[in-house]
Amino acid sequence: MCGIVGYVGKDTERVLIEKLKQLEYRGYDSAGIAVKAEQKINVFKAKGEIKNLEKTIVPLKDAQFGIGHTRWATHGKPDEINAHPHVSSDDKWVIVHNGIIENYLEIKDELTKKGMSFYSETDTETVAKLLEFHSRKVEDKMEIISETCDTIKGSYALAILNKETNGIYFAKNKSPLFIAKKGENVMIASDVICFYGFADEYYSVEDGEIGYTDANTLVFKNKFGEVVKNPIKCDFGNYNNANTYKHFMIKEIYETKNAIKNIIEYYSQEENRNKILLRKLDGIKRIKIVGCGTAYHAGLMGSKIFEEKLGIECTAYVASEFRYQDPKIGDDTLVILISQSGETADTLAAHEISKQKGAVTLALVNVEYSALAKSADISVPIKAGVEVAVASTKAYSSQLTVLYILAGLLREKFIGDKFNMADVEKLYNEFDYGNINNFKLLADVFQYNDKMFMIGRGADYCTAQEASLKIKETSYINSDTYYAGELKHGFLALIDEKTYVVVFATEKNVLSKTLCNAEEAKARGAKIILFTCFDLEPSLTENFYFVIKVKELGNALQAVLNIVPWQIIAYYTSVNKGYNPDKPRNLAKSVTVE
């Protein structure tokens, strides 16, 4: 869960810092760069955000090679020592790494016995020391890197400087890595978005490949020899990294309606629908949906939509559980894997298991060049556009919208009912960000609270789960979620006059029961915040603490309208408490480790 960048060209330090800022969403515990000129390598590292690193940098004259890194700590606390780049004992090898070296303790033990010492708590340092160890018996640099990669187990994207070589080496396994070349300038990055404004095409480094690049050379090799690659066209869509808002989170919330417009435009085209409809799905009898965090919550809602539309079994799973519980899947199963980044380690592992068991896999992704998008049988883009803030907002709404479209397309394929975009167009036309002043009032209340509860039934419970996660992620309030019908089975013991209970009541068939649950909580002293899309009699709500009303859509896309107010409330609660909602503590955007 780190960001990697490498650069061959002039003004190296400035370019590295500029690109690391684009990757900071991938990790912001610490950051560092290494730059090379002739046979001199300077390393600069700092704890915290990149602005701290900038203060430490002293430009190296004539530097034209560099690597940089933003870190989200996995092994060792976030500090300057554990920050990347890491350096070999002989100072000849300098590396940055994204991923997990699973056998690093065994390697560390073996190298310690051979007289090597270690200065950090990281798994990455063992790679730098391995490079040094193998170079004692092998001269060819590519062979040294190959032997090192053969020794390590796990996931890695590596960018490597060597004191004796004027270029950058690289290697990749199960962590994203891409390269773009423009004239004599070369850029290496863990996200293609770094190439925005630099190049129109790029190369994807595949698992098991190593390589080398300088001003005149770009070489890829695997175990069979040199690999010839065709460049891939950069597609940045509507990407614009300019931000006139205070934070990316609120900017991205307000981009939700435009994302829905993009979805309508894309899936209104028959050729794009046929990418799904023309696949061999006729034997499908079961659907499994897999995701982590926000993506899992989208899957919970999706499972309800699929069962209603298709009348077949559909179950949502947390990816980290799915991979270890021997899921009952086979060639009659469609496994839908949801991931904003398409690089989520647990979700990729779930995909691998699904393929081994013969299932048809479908990737519902935002990043169309990601590992999941490339490896699944069917790739279905959500068209949300680049999302920078760690707390997902417009991507979640887009996931729900595309799941609804996907259910309609599968109904057309399985049952024969012709799909149309009417419900999604209604969502776009009726879309409303709500009464922002009311949301700010609630945020003013929540900022002084350290716990709250959210309850709902059916689809409302799915929305409550995601709303609760947004509150937790951004403002660190302990927000718990329960099925409304479970109040009497233990949860009421937690209710007192200091408790806020958010009651989601947009499911018409259980509305009266949900309101009764609200009254049960209120009778125990709770302050009830009712969230509904219905015009209710004042007698039903006059004793509640607060009422939020949204538009009524009349279909499952109501869940999209329902989540947006809570994204906004979470944002303002975080800001009121003095936190940065774009960079919640201990979290990163792209979770590429287990």
Side-chain angles (χ1 to χ4, degrees):
M1 289 155 63
C2 310
I4 286 176
V5 64
Y7 185 66
V8 177
K10 295 179 180 179
D11 208 6
T12 310
E13 292 94 346
R14 181 192 62 78
V15 174
L16 291 175
I17 291 296
E18 177 185 296
K19 295 304 174 181
L20 284 179
K21 287 179 178 178
Q22 282 184 275
L23 292 175
E24 195 168 16
Y25 70 92
R26 296 180 72 100
Y28 39 87
D29 288 341
S30 59
I33 65 170
V35 291
K36 182 179 186 298
E38 297 302 329
Q39 289 195 337
K40 183 176 178 59
I41 300 177
N42 281 1
V43 176
F44 305 95
K45 305 197 287 187
K47 180 182 176 181
E49 298 181 19
I50 292 171
K51 63 184 179 182
N52 299 336
L53 173 64
E54 284 185 276
K55 298 173 185 176
T56 72
I57 295 172
V58 178
L60 178 62
K61 185 180 179 182
D62 298 326
Q64 293 192 42
F65 308 95
I67 54 177
H69 189 268
T70 60
R71 180 174 186 248
W72 185 89
T74 56
H75 295 75
K77 60 187 177 182
D79 61 17
E80 186 175 326
I81 293 173
N82 290 323
H84 299 211
H86 283 286
V87 186
S88 61
S89 299
D90 60 7
D91 292 330
K92 290 184 178 180
W93 298 92
V94 182
I95 72 166
V96 292
H97 164 230
N98 183 18
I100 294 285
I101 307 302
E102 295 173 2
N103 61 336
Y104 85 101
L105 287 175
E106 295 96 315
I107 295 170
K108 194 170 185 177
D109 184 55
E110 284 297 314
L111 294 179
T112 300
K113 290 176 181 177
K114 297 182 187 306
M116 286 193 167
S117 60
F118 292 80
Y119 59 82
S120 78
E121 303 168 274
T122 68
D123 56 333
T124 300
E125 189 190 352
T126 61
V127 182
K129 300 299 169 64
L130 267 177
L131 289 166
E132 177 185 352
F133 175 73
H134 288 303
S135 65
R136 293 175 180 176
K137 53 184 178 177
V138 178
E139 290 187 8
D140 183 82
K141 302 295 189 297
M142 292 285 274
E143 189 176 342
I144 291 167
I145 292 166
S146 179
E147 289 198 17
T148 297
C149 291
D150 286 343
T151 305
I152 60 181
K153 296 177 182 178
S155 59
Y156 55 83
L158 298 168
I160 306 165
L161 293 178
N162 180 268
K163 207 167 189 178
E164 300 166 349
T165 310
N166 285 328
I168 302 175
Y169 297 94
F170 54 87
K172 187 252 189 200
N173 187 56
K174 298 181 180 179
S175 285
L177 196 64
F178 309 95
I179 298 178
K181 200 170 190 311
K182 184 179 181 182
E184 294 186 346
N185 296 332
V186 187
M187 190 173 292
I188 300 172
S190 50
D191 193 324
V192 169
I193 210 65
C194 283
F195 305 145
Y196 179 76
F198 173 73
D200 298 324
E201 57 186 25
Y202 67 94
Y203 299 90
S204 178
V205 186
E206 302 303 325
D207 286 351
E209 291 182 348
I210 64 173
Y212 170 80
T213 186
D214 58 26
N216 303 305
T217 308
L218 178 55
V219 176
F220 302 88
K221 287 187 176 182
N222 61 22
K223 62 181 179 179
F224 302 109
E226 192 166 332
V227 178
V228 178
K229 290 179 179 284
N230 293 318
I232 302 166
K233 187 74 175 174
C234 290
D235 180 11
F236 298 114
N238 297 318
Y239 175 67
N240 181 358
N241 60 354
N243 184 13
T244 57
Y245 292 87
K246 188 175 181 180
H247 299 99
F248 276 101
M249 182 179 176
I250 193 68
K251 170 182 181 282
E252 288 159 6
I253 292 170
Y254 284 124
E255 290 173 343
T256 302
K257 185 171 184 178
N258 191 61
I260 295 169
K261 180 183 178 183
N262 292 339
I263 291 167
I264 293 170
E265 290 175 351
Y266 182 84
Y267 288 101
S268 292
Q269 297 177 40
E270 186 176 6
E271 63 178 308
N272 293 328
R273 296 196 304 274
N274 283 343
K275 292 175 184 176
I276 302 167
L277 288 171
L278 297 180
R279 300 295 302 191
K280 294 179 180 179
L281 296 169
D282 296 328
I284 297 301
K285 297 178 182 177
R286 294 175 291 179
I287 299 176
K288 311 288 185 181
I289 307 180
V290 181
C292 300
T294 288
Y296 167 67
H297 296 157
L300 278 177
M301 187 64 209
S303 67
K304 296 182 180 301
I305 295 171
F306 281 108
E307 289 197 336
E308 178 186 337
K309 292 273 189 183
L310 305 177
I312 64 176
E313 176 193 344
C314 183
T315 310
Y317 295 85
V318 174
S320 57
E321 292 293 314
F322 181 85
R323 63 186 293 192
Y324 293 116
Q325 66 181 51
D326 188 26
K328 301 303 181 283
I329 56 179
D331 57 10
D332 65 346
T333 311
L334 173 65
V335 179
I336 299 172
L337 302 116
I338 308 175
S339 172
Q340 189 284 135
S341 68
E343 303 289 352
T344 308
D346 284 317
T347 308
L348 286 169
H351 173 266
E352 186 176 342
I353 292 167
S354 301
K355 291 304 297 176
Q356 289 172 358
K357 291 177 173 287
V360 178
T361 59
L362 184 151
L364 200 82
V365 293
N366 194 33
V367 182
E368 296 175 42
Y369 50 80
S370 62
L372 187 60
K374 291 189 292 185
S375 57
D377 296 317
I378 309 168
S379 181
V380 177
I382 66 167
K383 295 295 177 182
V386 174
E387 191 177 65
V388 175
V390 167
S392 182
T393 53
K394 64 174 179 175
Y396 175 75
S397 299
S398 297
Q399 287 165 354
L400 293 180
T401 306
V402 175
L403 282 166
Y404 190 86
I405 291 172
L406 180 59
L409 291 173
L410 293 180
R411 182 177 176 85
E412 176 178 330
K413 187 173 185 68
F414 296 160
I415 300 173
D417 290 352
K418 186 70 176 175
F419 172 75
N420 68 72
M421 202 69 74
D423 286 346
V424 185
E425 290 171 345
K426 182 180 180 182
L427 168 66
Y428 177 76
N429 293 328
E430 296 287 320
F431 194 90
D432 184 7
Y433 289 101
N435 189 326
I436 305 301
N437 288 330
N438 278 348
F439 303 156
K440 287 182 176 180
L441 284 174
L442 270 183
D444 288 344
V445 171
F446 289 159
Q447 68 176 306
Y448 300 111
N449 192 36
D450 60 2
K451 71 172 183 177
M452 61 190 297
F453 300 99
M454 296 188 174
I455 63 174
R457 293 170 180 260
D460 279 339
Y461 176 74
C462 302
T463 302
Q465 287 274 65
E466 178 59 15
S468 180
L469 179 61
K470 286 290 141 312
I471 293 288
K472 283 182 279 199
E473 283 178 315
T474 59
S475 60
Y476 320 142
I477 293 171
N478 186 9
S479 174
D480 283 342
T481 312
Y482 293 89
Y483 286 103
E486 287 292 291
L487 276 172
K488 296 179 287 294
H489 301 283
F491 158 46
L492 274 178
L494 300 173
I495 300 296
D496 58 28
E497 66 279 357
K498 297 179 182 179
T499 307
Y500 291 93
V501 177
V502 180
V503 180
F504 288 82
T506 69
E507 293 279 279
K508 196 166 191 176
N509 62 324
V510 290
L511 178 62
S512 61
K513 293 184 181 296
T514 303
L515 291 177
C516 285
N517 298 139
E519 290 290 352
E520 290 168 355
K522 184 179 177 301
R524 273 74 180 179
K527 297 179 177 67
I528 303 299
I529 298 158
L530 183 68
F531 185 90
T532 187
C533 61
F534 304 115
D535 292 318
L536 302 176
E537 292 295 327
S539 59
L540 293 174
T541 62
E542 60 188 2
N543 292 322
F544 290 158
Y545 182 79
F546 208 93
V547 177
I548 299 176
K549 185 175 180 298
V550 292
K551 290 183 179 180
E552 180 184 0
L553 272 187
N555 59 54
L557 287 171
Q558 181 73 45
V560 179
L561 287 186
N562 289 353
I563 193 59
V564 173
W566 293 99
Q567 294 169 346
I568 297 172
I569 290 166
Y571 169 78
Y572 282 111
T573 305
S574 173
V575 171
N576 285 353
K577 295 181 75 171
Y579 303 138
N580 181 349
D582 289 347
K583 300 174 183 177
R585 67 188 182 201
N586 304 329
L587 300 178
K589 183 71 172 172
S590 183
V591 186
T592 57
V593 298
E594 182 182 351

